Amino acid sequence: MDAAAVALVPAAGRGERLGGRHPKALVQVHGVPLVVHAVRGLLNAGCVRRVVVAAPSSYVDTMRAALADGGAKALVVPGGADRTESVRLALAAALGESPDISIVLVHDAARAFTPPELVCAVTAAVAAGAPAVVPVLPVADTVKRVDANEIVTATVDRADLRAVQTPQGFALDVLRRAYEADGDTTGSHTDDAGLVERIGVPVSTVPGHPAALKITTPFDLAVAEAVFGR
Ligand code: CTP
Ligand code: MG
């Protein structure tokens, strides 16, 4: 098995919770768009040989230019209406380009400051034989279930709960079967491992990292500006 991975980067979201005028992946931290930070991080990790980015369909050229400006080499393709569709399209483009892929990572552009060690830990776990791998963190807050009126109905034991990050890593065949089984009409999923669980393939975990946070809100963006160097 080729121990270097091909990474799919869904970057086609609008970033509604961030509230900007431009897609979130083009929002800048220290003058560099998030998607450029994300692709650079993957390529510099040393265990990724190719990156395919799914861009908002009306921003494909803009994203190509931003990546070229930032010296971040990637194939850019139009994404879809939801994250699942964007990953599906990026996977098809990756396979069209190089059918000999053995390990696929799926990594949110919004997790632009993921440490290279985490990228390679996920890749190595797949190379060592795990069919599907996700980085996880313990849940720090107390977790409660609420009803439609936001009234608490239960306190959930957090000991066996994990918050899940990306990159998520897969043996190619597993990710392909998961997406084929999903068809193209069953709606969006918030992660790719969820589709793999549905075809009965075990998903293993590696320790995640706080720096792999998903930049979702203006607060997260402020944290990224403050924490991550130029
Ligand atoms: N994504 C995508 N295609 C979509 C929707 C989302 O490729 N149609 C990507 C986003 O660009 C992001 C990742 O999936 O890198 C995780 O999604 P999220 O953080 O929810 O980003 P957005 O959907 O852009 O943000 P929001 O939900 O606030 O609009
Ligand atoms: Mg979203």
Side-chain angles (χ1 to χ4, degrees):
M1 185 184 267
D2 181 353
V6 169
L8 313 179
V9 178
R14 286 207 290 263
E16 277 168 8
R17 287 168 290 180
L18 198 54
R21 285 188 300 116
H22 298 294
K24 180 161 74 178
L26 290 169
V27 170
Q28 299 186 347
V29 170
H30 299 311
V32 176
L34 290 176
V35 69
V36 175
H37 284 293
V39 173
R40 276 183 188 163
L42 288 164
L43 291 172
N44 292 341
C47 51
V48 172
R49 64 175 162 99
R50 183 65 164 149
V51 178
V52 179
V53 173
S57 49
S58 50
Y59 286 84
V60 171
D61 290 339
T62 312
M63 221 169 257
R64 273 186 194 136
L67 287 160
D69 275 1
K73 196 163 183 281
L75 174 66
V76 182
V77 298
D82 57 46
R83 187 187 181 283
T84 307
E85 200 50 34
S86 293
V87 173
R88 187 190 299 283
L89 291 163
L91 178 61
L95 285 169
E97 190 183 63
S98 47
D100 65 324
I101 301 167
S102 52
I103 302 173
V104 186
L105 303 181
V106 185
H107 185 47
D108 293 327
R111 299 185 190 271
F113 300 98
T114 299
E117 295 78 13
L118 180 55
V119 175
C120 293
V122 170
T123 305
V126 180
V133 179
V134 298
V136 299
L137 290 175
V139 178
D141 292 319
T142 296
V143 178
K144 295 195 191 289
R145 185 164 287 120
V146 296
D147 65 15
N149 299 314
E150 292 289 319
I151 302 297
V152 172
T153 59
T155 300
V156 181
D157 181 8
R158 71 181 179 208
D160 60 355
L161 296 181
R162 300 290 179 270
V164 178
Q165 302 180 314
T166 74
Q168 300 190 348
F170 306 93
L172 170 67
D173 181 54
V174 167
L175 189 66
R176 194 157 52 178
R177 279 196 291 127
Y179 269 81
E180 276 165 12
D182 181 55
D184 47 19
T185 52
T186 54
S188 187
H189 305 271
T190 55
D191 80 341
D192 307 283
L195 293 181
V196 168
E197 290 156 43
R198 282 159 47 142
I199 60 167
V201 171
V203 177
S204 44
T205 65
V206 297
H209 194 287
L213 89 162
K214 185 157 71 73
I215 296 172
T216 304
T217 64
F219 181 83
D220 301 330
L221 193 62
V223 169
E225 286 275 0
V227 171
F228 300 110
R230 272 150 215 280

